[in-house]
Each structure stands twice: as structure tokens, then as C-alpha cells.
Amino acid sequence: MSMRHWAAAAAAAVLLAGCAGPSAATSDPATPEAPTESTTLTVITHDSFALSKEALATFKAETGYDVSYVAPGDVGTVVNQLILTKDAPLGDVVFGIDNTFAGRAVSAGILSPYTSADLPEGADAYAADDTHSLTPIDYGDVCLNADTAWFEAKGLAVPQTLDDLLKPEYANLLVVENPASSSPGMAFLAATVGAKGADGYLDYWKALKANGVKVVKGWTEAYTVQFSGSSGKGAYPLVVSYSSSPAYEHGTQALTQTCFRQVEYAGVLAGAQNEVGARKFIDFLLSAEVQAEIPEQMYMDPVDSSVELPADWKKYAAVVDHPIEVSAADLGANREAWIKAWTATVIG
């Protein structure tokens, strides 16, 4: 958010076995179709989803559902799989689609609208759009993180801005995530678009590539394996992570001039066999119990602003007052073109 805890990723066979077929429910064509419900509920998440066993047990006990959690990978993998299996949905509800992937998910028609009565006051400010297909659950600022001990040992100042990364003294020090497969990677790409403009971000990336940036598939490899400031003790003292990361990896700092605000959502999957349960799960994620767990379990800020944040979070997590901005409309309209151009420029 090591930083994030992970739910155990399900094996491919389990993923396929959990596929939810079309609902058998029927209704009078002249009346609205009632939401489907079954005794099972399949929750699709990214691999950084984590809540306490107690909270998950409470949801299961209160609903009586046999609940399965399937985590096929990072959010990019999740969205890709949900689109590919649109006609035979993998589950009933999804958590973890973020604002960089929201437009793609909504336009693909994989979600059903739902507005929760439990949405905290002010949380609608994080809405992805006006379709009500995605409910905001948490948010976090994706920022460059630095291993301060590494820089102190080298007698080198910690870079502060995106432009600093292009200086010769910071060559071969940065690891980033691929935006095609990683939500933090896409958030950082969006930050460069917001800072350099649609006409200038590729030139920035060309210069970053020339200065030795390393690209890996996702956050787990970047932060826990390649980053020198984490338990993996890798070779790179700069990494794309979160403003909250220093609360859990002391001796690191977030560079607040490089941040992009990421919002994570939950949504009912179109064609769900348990639409009632999917809605209940979204309400559960907005409950006071779960919102209070989010900072320490998933290392994000809850959308419920009344939640008291952990002491270490208050002490070490960076406060980002002015994140780099790209509108949801621009993200939805251009993300695929940006990724394609980035891939051609950086990966080749």
C-alpha cells in the first residue's frame, strides 16, 4: 500500500469453476426484472484486497452466503478478464477497479448500476462518472517513494520532482510498473500526462528511458522485490508506490510533487447470479467496520472521512494537498491510446 497484504490468488481452475452462469430468474416482461439471488456469492478482486478474517466472517454470518474470493491479478488483469468473460461472468461483484480503469470497465458494459444508501456523506465526490456503475470505497495517492537511507549513504539528495528524475545523478535508480497491467503504473503514467500534457508526456518518457528507468509488471514486484527500501532489499532506491507507504516501511519517503490520486471502486457485475448479494457486499465495504479497517488492511484512505486513521499513518504517511490531476473523462477517452503510445515508446 512489506506494504499491502494480499488475498491468496485463486488457481485458474478455481477461477473457472467459480464462473457464474446466466440467471435463471424470469419475470413478466411488462414489469422490471427482480434482482437475482442465490446461496453463493463470488467476489472478484485484485490481488491487493485484504480484510480481517473477523470482518469477512461477519459478512458471511449476516448474509448466510457461501462466499468465494477470486483474485486473478492486478486491476488491469481483473478488468481484462471481466471483459473477456462478459457473456459468462466470473462472479457477482468486483472490488478494486480504479479511476484509471473505470472508463474502460463502464464502456465495456460489464457492470450494473447500483447506488448504495450507505455511501458516506461527501463520498460522491469520488464518483467515476454519472452512471452509478461503480461505488467509491477508498482512495490513495500514487507517488514516487524514495529509500532515504540509500540516498544518505550515497551523499545524494533525494529527488523531489518529475524533472529531477531526468538528471544524470539519478540514472538507473527508478523502477516503475507497466501501465498496461498495473493500476499504480497507470496512475503514474497519468501523472506524467497531467504534468507534461498529452503532447509532451512521450518526450518525458523517452528521456526517462534514456536515464535507465526499469519497468516491471506490477506493484508487488516493483515494491517488494526491486525497491531497496522494502523487505526485498532490491537495487532500486526509487519506486512508484503510495503516499501511505512510509507508514509501513520506515526509512522511506513519498515525493509529494509527483502524486496522482487513485480511487478504488466496487461494482455489481452485469449478469450476476446473485445481484442481491453483490449489493450487500458493496454496502458491507461501506460499513463503519470495514472503512475503519481499510488503512491498515489495504493501506488506502477510506472514503468515510469520519474514520480515525492509525497513529503510524498520521505520523509517517505523506499528506498530498495538490495531486497532479487528469479528469475521469480524459482517462476514459484516452487511456488506451496513451498506453499504446507508451508501450511503443518505452517497451518497443
Side-chain angles (χ1 to χ4, degrees):
M1 43 180 234
S2 110
M3 195 200 72
R4 285 196 174 196
H5 296 184
W6 305 279
V14 175
L15 180 64
L16 294 174
C19 291
S23 168
T26 59
S27 63
D28 186 332
T31 62
E33 191 169 307
T36 59
E37 187 173 23
S38 71
T39 59
T40 64
L41 181 72
T42 301
V43 181
I44 309 298
T45 77
H46 57 43
D47 55 9
S48 296
F49 173 77
L51 291 177
S52 69
K53 292 180 179 179
E54 292 77 11
L56 298 179
T58 295
F59 176 75
K60 183 175 181 179
E62 289 182 349
T63 62
Y65 297 135
D66 181 8
V67 186
S68 299
Y69 297 89
V70 179
D74 207 328
V75 63
T77 300
V78 170
V79 173
N80 287 339
Q81 288 202 12
L82 292 178
I83 292 173
L84 289 172
T85 58
K86 175 183 175 181
D87 295 331
L90 297 176
D92 304 295
V93 61
V94 59
F95 166 78
I97 296 174
D98 78 339
N99 51 324
T100 67
F101 283 87
R104 185 176 183 217
V106 172
S107 63
I110 62 174
L111 302 162
S112 292
Y114 173 60
T115 301
S116 174
D118 297 329
L119 193 68
E121 183 177 357
D124 55 355
Y126 300 107
D129 53 30
D130 58 1
T131 67
H132 304 287
S133 298
L134 289 166
T135 301
I137 304 299
D138 59 43
Y139 70 93
D141 292 305
V142 174
C143 312
L144 288 173
N145 275 222
D147 176 0
T148 51
W150 187 96
F151 283 96
E152 289 173 2
K154 298 292 184 179
L156 183 63
V158 174
Q160 297 299 314
T161 68
L162 293 176
D163 287 341
D164 284 347
L165 301 177
L166 305 182
K167 297 176 179 178
E169 57 264 41
Y170 301 115
N172 305 309
L173 301 185
L174 172 65
V175 58
V176 305
E177 301 88 351
N178 190 317
S181 56
S182 165
S183 57
M186 182 60 216
F188 185 62
L189 174 58
T192 64
V193 172
K196 302 300 179 181
D199 296 328
Y201 81 100
L202 287 178
D203 287 337
Y204 176 78
W205 277 98
K206 288 176 184 176
L208 207 57
K209 180 180 180 180
N211 214 32
V213 66
K214 181 178 179 64
V215 179
V216 298
K217 182 178 180 181
W219 179 88
T220 300
E221 181 181 355
Y223 195 89
T224 68
V225 178
Q226 301 292 343
F227 181 44
S228 63
S230 73
S231 56
K233 302 301 179 187
Y236 292 83
L238 294 169
V239 65
V240 173
S241 193
Y242 291 82
S243 64
S244 58
S245 300
Y248 303 95
E249 289 287 0
H250 299 174
T252 67
Q253 71 177 82
L255 311 183
T256 59
Q257 297 182 59
T258 67
C259 304
F260 177 86
R261 183 150 294 170
Q262 178 187 32
V263 182
E264 291 189 316
Y265 303 94
V268 179
L269 290 173
Q273 69 175 11
N274 191 352
E275 188 173 2
V276 171
R279 294 175 178 182
K280 289 181 179 179
F281 188 78
I282 292 173
D283 295 344
F284 164 69
L285 293 177
L286 293 172
S287 67
E289 177 184 11
V290 171
Q291 288 285 296
E293 281 197 1
I294 283 174
E296 291 193 291
Q297 291 288 345
M298 292 192 280
Y299 307 96
M300 299 285 275
D301 283 278
V303 293
D304 186 346
S305 60
S306 69
V307 169
E308 184 75 11
L309 297 175
D312 274 1
W313 189 292
K314 292 180 179 179
K315 184 175 181 179
Y316 295 106
V319 176
V320 181
D321 293 321
H322 302 289
I324 299 168
E325 295 183 352
V326 178
S327 73
D330 280 348
L331 283 167
N334 298 301
R335 68 174 303 281
E336 296 303 323
W338 291 339
I339 290 174
K340 184 177 181 180
W342 177 93
T343 301
T345 298
V346 179
I347 304 299

